[in-house]
PDB file of all heavy atoms in Angstrom:
ATOM      1  N   LEU B 331      97.861 119.709  89.305  1.00  0.00           N
ATOM      2  CA  LEU B 331      97.763 118.328  89.772  1.00  0.00           C
ATOM      3  C   LEU B 331      97.483 118.237  91.266  1.00  0.00           C
ATOM      4  O   LEU B 331      97.086 117.172  91.748  1.00  0.00           O
ATOM      5  CB  LEU B 331      99.042 117.559  89.447  1.00  0.00           C
ATOM      6  CG  LEU B 331      99.412 117.391  87.972  1.00  0.00           C
ATOM      7  CD1 LEU B 331     100.654 116.523  87.833  1.00  0.00           C
ATOM      8  CD2 LEU B 331      98.268 116.803  87.168  1.00  0.00           C
ATOM      9  N   ALA B 332      97.720 119.308  92.029  1.00  0.00           N
ATOM     10  CA  ALA B 332      97.534 119.249  93.479  1.00  0.00           C
ATOM     11  C   ALA B 332      97.269 120.649  94.011  1.00  0.00           C
ATOM     12  O   ALA B 332      97.820 121.639  93.496  1.00  0.00           O
ATOM     13  CB  ALA B 332      98.773 118.656  94.155  1.00  0.00           C
ATOM     14  N   ILE B 333      96.419 120.730  95.046  1.00  0.00           N
ATOM     15  CA  ILE B 333      96.087 122.005  95.691  1.00  0.00           C
ATOM     16  C   ILE B 333      96.087 121.794  97.204  1.00  0.00           C
ATOM     17  O   ILE B 333      95.437 120.870  97.704  1.00  0.00           O
ATOM     18  CB  ILE B 333      94.719 122.528  95.242  1.00  0.00           C
ATOM     19  CG1 ILE B 333      94.704 122.783  93.724  1.00  0.00           C
ATOM     20  CG2 ILE B 333      94.345 123.804  95.993  1.00  0.00           C
ATOM     21  CD1 ILE B 333      93.343 123.155  93.174  1.00  0.00           C
ATOM     22  N   VAL B 334      96.823 122.641  97.934  1.00  0.00           N
ATOM     23  CA  VAL B 334      96.839 122.589  99.398  1.00  0.00           C
ATOM     24  C   VAL B 334      96.761 124.007  99.942  1.00  0.00           C
ATOM     25  O   VAL B 334      96.843 124.988  99.191  1.00  0.00           O
ATOM     26  CB  VAL B 334      98.096 121.873  99.938  1.00  0.00           C
ATOM     27  CG1 VAL B 334      98.044 120.391  99.631  1.00  0.00           C
ATOM     28  CG2 VAL B 334      99.369 122.513  99.395  1.00  0.00           C
ATOM     29  N   MET B 380     103.801 116.896  91.050  1.00  0.00           N
ATOM     30  CA  MET B 380     102.804 115.829  90.977  1.00  0.00           C
ATOM     31  C   MET B 380     101.931 115.757  92.237  1.00  0.00           C
ATOM     32  O   MET B 380     100.780 115.345  92.168  1.00  0.00           O
ATOM     33  CB  MET B 380     103.499 114.473  90.788  1.00  0.00           C
ATOM     34  CG  MET B 380     104.707 114.490  89.869  1.00  0.00           C
ATOM     35  SD  MET B 380     104.289 114.513  88.137  1.00  0.00           S
ATOM     36  CE  MET B 380     104.159 112.772  87.828  1.00  0.00           C
ATOM     37  N   SER B 381     102.494 116.122  93.374  1.00  0.00           N
ATOM     38  CA  SER B 381     101.839 115.895  94.657  1.00  0.00           C
ATOM     39  C   SER B 381     102.265 116.976  95.634  1.00  0.00           C
ATOM     40  O   SER B 381     103.397 117.475  95.564  1.00  0.00           O
ATOM     41  CB  SER B 381     102.233 114.509  95.194  1.00  0.00           C
ATOM     42  OG  SER B 381     101.835 114.327  96.541  1.00  0.00           O
ATOM     43  N   LEU B 382     101.373 117.346  96.540  1.00  0.00           N
ATOM     44  CA  LEU B 382     101.687 118.299  97.608  1.00  0.00           C
ATOM     45  C   LEU B 382     101.121 117.768  98.923  1.00  0.00           C
ATOM     46  O   LEU B 382      99.979 117.311  98.977  1.00  0.00           O
ATOM     47  CB  LEU B 382     101.078 119.671  97.322  1.00  0.00           C
ATOM     48  CG  LEU B 382     101.690 120.498  96.182  1.00  0.00           C
ATOM     49  CD1 LEU B 382     100.808 121.699  95.874  1.00  0.00           C
ATOM     50  CD2 LEU B 382     103.102 120.937  96.515  1.00  0.00           C
ATOM     51  N   ASP B 383     101.938 117.840  99.967  1.00  0.00           N
ATOM     52  CA  ASP B 383     101.473 117.451 101.299  1.00  0.00           C
ATOM     53  C   ASP B 383     101.948 118.488 102.303  1.00  0.00           C
ATOM     54  O   ASP B 383     103.078 118.988 102.205  1.00  0.00           O
ATOM     55  CB  ASP B 383     102.020 116.067 101.680  1.00  0.00           C
ATOM     56  CG  ASP B 383     101.412 115.544 102.976  1.00  0.00           C
ATOM     57  OD1 ASP B 383     100.236 115.857 103.242  1.00  0.00           O
ATOM     58  OD2 ASP B 383     102.101 114.835 103.725  1.00  0.00           O
ATOM     59  N   VAL B 384     101.078 118.822 103.261  1.00  0.00           N
ATOM     60  CA  VAL B 384     101.398 119.773 104.323  1.00  0.00           C
ATOM     61  C   VAL B 384     101.481 118.995 105.624  1.00  0.00           C
ATOM     62  O   VAL B 384     100.498 118.380 106.051  1.00  0.00           O
ATOM     63  CB  VAL B 384     100.330 120.879 104.417  1.00  0.00           C
ATOM     64  CG1 VAL B 384     100.640 121.822 105.575  1.00  0.00           C
ATOM     65  CG2 VAL B 384     100.248 121.656 103.104  1.00  0.00           C
ATOM     66  N   TRP B 460     104.137 109.986  92.379  1.00  0.00           N
ATOM     67  CA  TRP B 460     102.802 110.563  92.381  1.00  0.00           C
ATOM     68  C   TRP B 460     102.443 110.937  93.816  1.00  0.00           C
ATOM     69  O   TRP B 460     103.085 111.779  94.400  1.00  0.00           O
ATOM     70  CB  TRP B 460     101.815 109.589  91.745  1.00  0.00           C
ATOM     71  CG  TRP B 460     102.171 109.268  90.312  1.00  0.00           C
ATOM     72  CD1 TRP B 460     103.023 108.294  89.871  1.00  0.00           C
ATOM     73  CD2 TRP B 460     101.736 109.961  89.131  1.00  0.00           C
ATOM     74  NE1 TRP B 460     103.133 108.331  88.496  1.00  0.00           N
ATOM     75  CE2 TRP B 460     102.344 109.335  88.008  1.00  0.00           C
ATOM     76  CE3 TRP B 460     100.871 111.031  88.902  1.00  0.00           C
ATOM     77  CZ2 TRP B 460     102.119 109.756  86.701  1.00  0.00           C
ATOM     78  CZ3 TRP B 460     100.631 111.449  87.589  1.00  0.00           C
ATOM     79  CH2 TRP B 460     101.259 110.813  86.517  1.00  0.00           C
ATOM     80  N   SER B 461     101.412 110.327  94.383  1.00  0.00           N
ATOM     81  CA  SER B 461     101.007 110.730  95.729  1.00  0.00           C
ATOM     82  C   SER B 461     102.099 110.407  96.747  1.00  0.00           C
ATOM     83  O   SER B 461     102.638 109.293  96.773  1.00  0.00           O
ATOM     84  CB  SER B 461      99.708 110.029  96.130  1.00  0.00           C
ATOM     85  OG  SER B 461      99.105 110.678  97.227  1.00  0.00           O
ATOM     86  N   ALA B 462     102.394 111.385  97.590  1.00  0.00           N
ATOM     87  CA  ALA B 462     103.379 111.221  98.661  1.00  0.00           C
ATOM     88  C   ALA B 462     102.834 111.898  99.916  1.00  0.00           C
ATOM     89  O   ALA B 462     102.394 113.053  99.858  1.00  0.00           O
ATOM     90  CB  ALA B 462     104.718 111.833  98.270  1.00  0.00           C
ATOM     91  N   LYS B 463     102.863 111.166 101.038  1.00  0.00           N
ATOM     92  CA  LYS B 463     102.307 111.718 102.272  1.00  0.00           C
ATOM     93  C   LYS B 463     103.141 111.301 103.476  1.00  0.00           C
ATOM     94  O   LYS B 463     103.657 110.187 103.550  1.00  0.00           O
ATOM     95  CB  LYS B 463     100.861 111.241 102.477  1.00  0.00           C
ATOM     96  CG  LYS B 463      99.892 111.763 101.430  1.00  0.00           C
ATOM     97  CD  LYS B 463      98.455 111.513 101.839  1.00  0.00           C
ATOM     98  CE  LYS B 463      97.494 112.058 100.805  1.00  0.00           C
ATOM     99  NZ  LYS B 463      96.094 111.973 101.248  1.00  0.00           N
ATOM    100  N   ALA B 526      97.044 107.858  96.812  1.00  0.00           N
ATOM    101  CA  ALA B 526      97.328 107.092  98.027  1.00  0.00           C
ATOM    102  C   ALA B 526      96.995 107.932  99.247  1.00  0.00           C
ATOM    103  O   ALA B 526      97.245 109.145  99.263  1.00  0.00           O
ATOM    104  CB  ALA B 526      98.784 106.648  98.076  1.00  0.00           C
ATOM    105  N   GLY B 596      92.022 116.883 101.605  1.00  0.00           N
ATOM    106  CA  GLY B 596      92.818 116.194 100.594  1.00  0.00           C
ATOM    107  C   GLY B 596      94.244 116.694 100.579  1.00  0.00           C
ATOM    108  O   GLY B 596      94.536 117.818 100.993  1.00  0.00           O
ATOM    109  N   SER B 597      95.143 115.836 100.123  1.00  0.00           N
ATOM    110  CA  SER B 597      96.542 116.203  99.911  1.00  0.00           C
ATOM    111  C   SER B 597      97.143 115.131  99.019  1.00  0.00           C
ATOM    112  O   SER B 597      96.449 114.256  98.518  1.00  0.00           O
ATOM    113  CB  SER B 597      97.297 116.309 101.243  1.00  0.00           C
ATOM    114  OG  SER B 597      97.348 115.048 101.900  1.00  0.00           O
ATOM    115  N   GLY B 598      98.453 115.183  98.810  1.00  0.00           N
ATOM    116  CA  GLY B 598      99.069 114.218  97.925  1.00  0.00           C
ATOM    117  C   GLY B 598      98.675 114.484  96.486  1.00  0.00           C
ATOM    118  O   GLY B 598      98.648 115.628  96.030  1.00  0.00           O
ATOM    119  N   TYR B 599      98.340 113.419  95.757  1.00  0.00           N
ATOM    120  CA  TYR B 599      97.919 113.521  94.370  1.00  0.00           C
ATOM    121  C   TYR B 599      96.514 112.948  94.222  1.00  0.00           C
ATOM    122  O   TYR B 599      96.298 111.752  94.443  1.00  0.00           O
ATOM    123  CB  TYR B 599      98.893 112.767  93.455  1.00  0.00           C
ATOM    124  CG  TYR B 599      98.437 112.666  92.013  1.00  0.00           C
ATOM    125  CD1 TYR B 599      98.444 113.784  91.184  1.00  0.00           C
ATOM    126  CD2 TYR B 599      97.976 111.461  91.485  1.00  0.00           C
ATOM    127  CE1 TYR B 599      98.004 113.703  89.869  1.00  0.00           C
ATOM    128  CE2 TYR B 599      97.544 111.375  90.163  1.00  0.00           C
ATOM    129  CZ  TYR B 599      97.556 112.502  89.363  1.00  0.00           C
ATOM    130  OH  TYR B 599      97.119 112.417  88.058  1.00  0.00           O
ATOM    131  N   LEU B 600      95.540 113.798  93.931  1.00  0.00           N
ATOM    132  CA  LEU B 600      94.148 113.388  93.711  1.00  0.00           C
ATOM    133  C   LEU B 600      93.606 112.559  94.869  1.00  0.00           C
ATOM    134  O   LEU B 600      92.729 111.709  94.677  1.00  0.00           O
ATOM    135  CB  LEU B 600      94.017 112.584  92.407  1.00  0.00           C
ATOM    136  CG  LEU B 600      94.503 113.244  91.117  1.00  0.00           C
ATOM    137  CD1 LEU B 600      94.248 112.312  89.930  1.00  0.00           C
ATOM    138  CD2 LEU B 600      93.842 114.591  90.880  1.00  0.00           C
ATOM    139  N   SER B 601      94.082 112.801  96.063  1.00  0.00           N
ATOM    140  CA  SER B 601      93.822 111.890  97.185  1.00  0.00           C
ATOM    141  C   SER B 601      93.083 112.591  98.311  1.00  0.00           C
ATOM    142  O   SER B 601      93.660 113.379  99.072  1.00  0.00           O
ATOM    143  CB  SER B 601      95.135 111.304  97.715  1.00  0.00           C
ATOM    144  OG  SER B 601      95.812 110.600  96.694  1.00  0.00           O
ATOM    145  N   GLN B 603      91.252 112.570 101.949  1.00  0.00           N
ATOM    146  CA  GLN B 603      91.632 111.885 103.183  1.00  0.00           C
ATOM    147  C   GLN B 603      90.628 112.157 104.282  1.00  0.00           C
ATOM    148  O   GLN B 603      89.849 113.112 104.210  1.00  0.00           O
ATOM    149  CB  GLN B 603      93.015 112.327 103.629  1.00  0.00           C
ATOM    150  CG  GLN B 603      93.144 113.792 104.012  1.00  0.00           C
ATOM    151  CD  GLN B 603      94.597 114.216 104.147  1.00  0.00           C
ATOM    152  OE1 GLN B 603      95.394 114.099 103.208  1.00  0.00           O
ATOM    153  NE2 GLN B 603      94.961 114.703 105.319  1.00  0.00           N
TER     154      GLN B 603
END
Side-chain angles (χ1 to χ4, degrees):
L331 297 184
I333 299 174
V334 290
M380 322 282 272
S381 169
L382 289 170
D383 188 33
V384 177
W460 300 87
S461 197
K463 294 192 179 187
S597 64
Y599 172 72
L600 304 182
S601 301
Q603 64 193 58

